[in-house]
Amino acid sequence: MSKQAMLMGLLFAISSGLGGLAYAGESPNAGTETSLNDAGKADPVSSNQLYSEMRIQGGQYAQNYRHQMLTGDFTCDDVVDRIAGWVDLDSPDGPRFAMLFVTNHGGKDQSEVRYLPFESSEQVALCIHDETAPPIMSWQENSTEFMAEVIGDERLCNFAIRVDDFMCDAPQFFYSQEPAGNGDHWLFFRN
């Protein structure tokens, strides 16, 4: 095989690969229709789907970090979702707690990543970074009255995804079918 043919093949392989690149914050699968099962519902989010989104949204090393996972219906559509959380050490601004929300809500792939800084005066932040004990993710089911009176929006799904560092009030995220002005479905709340 001639050098010219090998170089053309290499150039083709590189250009084909670059066409499929995605950067943190954008998923090539976002909004993609998922096939509905025999019951007319979207299938649960699979582990492969979650780890693919971790790679796309969180970077090439995200899957290697020790991570936590929550599995359940957190969007109130009777389809199992997955949420991963890990301490991201790749940011030039210092460590941050990353949360990746992956759903197949309404038969469409949805994926959003949120980063919570440590030891910051921001409202969307955690108070302390302990290298030996990362923050703990958990979920909490709330009543309709709580959603209306405390959260201020009973249209949100009543499951809170909480992140506790046990030093300050836990940031919470609630799913909204209607995205906010920035396109996010997972809305932040803190007491």
Side-chain angles (χ1 to χ4, degrees), residues 8-30:
M8 290 303 287
L10 179 61
L11 179 62
F12 175 76
I14 291 171
S15 64
S16 297
L18 290 177
L21 282 181
Y23 300 94
E26 68 180 53
S27 170
N29 300 326

